[in-house]
Amino acid sequence: MIIFKQLSVKTPEREILMDITHEVRKILSHSNVREGICRIFVPHTTAALTINENADPNVIRDIINYLKALIPQHGRLGYIFRHGEGNSDAHIKSSLMGFSLEIMIHDQKLMLGTWQGIYLAEFDGPRYRKIYIQIQGE
Amino acid sequence: MIIFKQLSVKTPEREILMDITHEVRKILSHSNVREGICRIFVPHTTAALTINENADPNVIRDIINYLKALIPQHGRLGYIFRHGEGNSDAHIKSSLMGFSLEIMIHDQKLMLGTWQGIYLAEFDGPRYRKIYIQIQGE
Amino acid sequence: MIIFKQLSVKTPEREILMDITHEVRKILSHSNVREGICRIFVPHTTAALTINENADPNVIRDIINYLKALIPQHGRLGYIFRHGEGNSDAHIKSSLMGFSLEIMIHDQKLMLGTWQGIYLAEFDGPRYRKIYIQIQGE
């Protein structure tokens, strides 16, 4: 069985990690997949997807802020960005973080770890972002 | 249904992002998968795969050049590479970017966003590189 | 057919790449999948998974050590981590490297390249880590 769904998310800031775990679980709960895979994909080039800690909100702040220091909006290390839209940093961060996640379904449960949440990584907001979700299994 | 195909690509420079979207779409067009997944994998350790903007070529130049500044061929930050082949930078960049992509197929379409292209990231060329493509679905 | 298995690994140091290729192949050898996918996932937020060279051990040392220089335990670039557990660096590195791998199975073989090994990336050890493995195919 294969199910395809689309989510829409409004990101409130230029750079932020937004927890979408609840939305993904809700879609999953309507399927009856016992064993399979839950795929998540962003069809953008300045936003990404990641997994990280869902307990202390300082963790995701440290991630977004340290990436901002490492790859600032207007460059560093003597390199001047050529792309004229002022968001080359967002393209770079997205390619490093990745545009998709694949999380196993086993015994009808999404096999996330206890401390793992699913995050949309916005690097060039605020914007409306689309997220594709595909559930495949038995 | 599962289809497996192999592409061969010659990369022209040491560090370059090469658009392979057309080649992937061509393989997909010969399948009749309506709902499923298109997987792409490089069986190398100094090349990777990513998705990014297909419109302004300065975007992919900024990605490759900023990564070159962050992780230069002969190191930085006081760290001297031990591996004797002069390509530790390429191994590091590849592990950060990743060796595989998974792109959904829905309604017989590859679900890339409007501005998304698929790129082979060469970090230690020029070389011949292999790319595996697997299409699975109904 | 879908198989789900769990591995347990004890990591000996704070930051290390551990080769788990043999363990993954052993699980695969008990399945009879001819065409399909082998998925690997870590249910943690300070450890990750990657592929890289299995020949010269200096390659994986260069990867772990250069990441340590780029994202040190107590920060850099004027940024002070807010998360109080002293492992924000491990959370950042894990999100950049990624928590899952997907490796194709074709003709009953795991389609790794000649020089590719599968590594658990520990960024906040020593610890016991769980690894989920899912094999799906025909």
Side-chain angles (χ1 to χ4, degrees), chain B residues 106-125:
Chain B
H106 173 55
D107 258 353
Q108 218 158 347
K109 286 195 302 280
L110 192 65
M111 295 302 285
L112 282 176
T114 315
W115 308 107
Q116 287 186 326
I118 305 167
Y119 291 90
L120 171 69
E122 173 63 82
F123 294 121
D124 192 33

Side-chain angles (χ1 to χ4, degrees), chain C residues 27-86:
Chain C
I27 288 171
L28 197 64
S29 71
H30 296 305
S31 81
N32 280 313
V33 170
R34 285 202 70 78
E35 303 290 318
I37 192 79
C38 173
R39 301 187 181 103
I40 314 173
F41 184 85
V42 281
H44 303 289
T45 59
T46 54
L49 289 166
T50 194
I51 285 170
N52 222 295
E53 186 176 317
N54 55 16
D56 176 8
N58 279 329
V59 170
I60 58 168
R61 271 183 216 131
D62 281 343
I63 294 172
I64 209 87
N65 287 333
Y66 195 77
L67 288 178
K68 206 187 280 198
L70 207 59
I71 309 166
Q73 186 175 1
H74 301 292
R76 208 171 57 85
L77 297 165
Y79 183 71
I80 294 155
F81 291 130
R82 298 187 188 192
H83 179 52
E85 293 181 26

Side-chain angles (χ1 to χ4, degrees), chain A residues 95-123:
Chain A
S95 267
L96 289 176
M97 198 163 265
F99 301 91
S100 67
L101 294 174
E102 313 263 319
I103 306 167
M104 299 169 192
I105 302 165
H106 173 55
D107 258 352
Q108 217 158 348
K109 286 195 301 282
L110 193 64
M111 295 302 285
L112 282 176
T114 316
W115 308 108
Q116 287 185 326
I118 304 168
Y119 291 90
L120 171 69
E122 173 62 83
F123 294 120

Side-chain angles (χ1 to χ4, degrees), chain B residues 4-114:
Chain B
F4 178 86
K5 295 277 177 187
Q6 190 178 312
L7 285 176
S8 253
V9 173
K10 169 97 170 68
T11 59
E13 289 175 44
R14 185 172 196 270
E15 293 167 64
I16 190 169
L17 292 188
M18 286 185 68
D19 193 331
I20 58 165
T21 317
H22 180 73
E23 285 76 7
V24 174
R25 283 195 191 282
K26 217 161 67 184
I27 287 171
L28 197 65
S29 72
H30 296 305
S31 81
N32 281 313
V33 170
R34 285 203 71 78
E35 303 291 319
I37 192 77
C38 174
R39 301 189 182 103
I40 315 173
F41 184 84
V42 281
H44 303 287
T45 58
T46 54
L49 289 166
T50 194
I51 285 170
N52 223 295
E53 185 175 319
N54 55 16
D56 176 6
N58 280 329
V59 170
I60 57 166
R61 272 183 215 130
D62 281 344
I63 295 173
I64 209 86
N65 287 332
Y66 195 77
L67 288 179
K68 207 187 283 198
L70 208 58
I71 309 166
Q73 187 174 1
H74 301 292
R76 207 171 59 84
L77 298 165
Y79 183 72
I80 293 154
F81 291 131
R82 296 187 188 191
H83 179 53
E85 293 180 27
N87 62 0
S88 288
D89 65 309
H91 288 284
I92 298 166
K93 288 171 203 167
S94 301
S95 266
L96 289 176
M97 200 164 262
F99 301 90
S100 68
L101 294 173
E102 314 262 319
I103 307 168
M104 298 169 191
I105 302 165
H106 173 55
D107 258 353
Q108 218 158 347
K109 286 195 302 280
L110 192 65
M111 295 302 285
L112 282 176
T114 315

Side-chain angles (χ1 to χ4, degrees), chain C residues 6 17 55:
Chain C
Q6 190 178 313
L17 292 187

Side-chain angles (χ1 to χ4, degrees), chain C residues 7 10 16 27 32 67 87 94 113 128 132:
Chain C
L7 286 176
K10 168 98 170 69
I16 191 169
I27 288 171
N32 280 313
L67 288 178
N87 62 358
S94 301
Y128 287 96
Y132 299 154

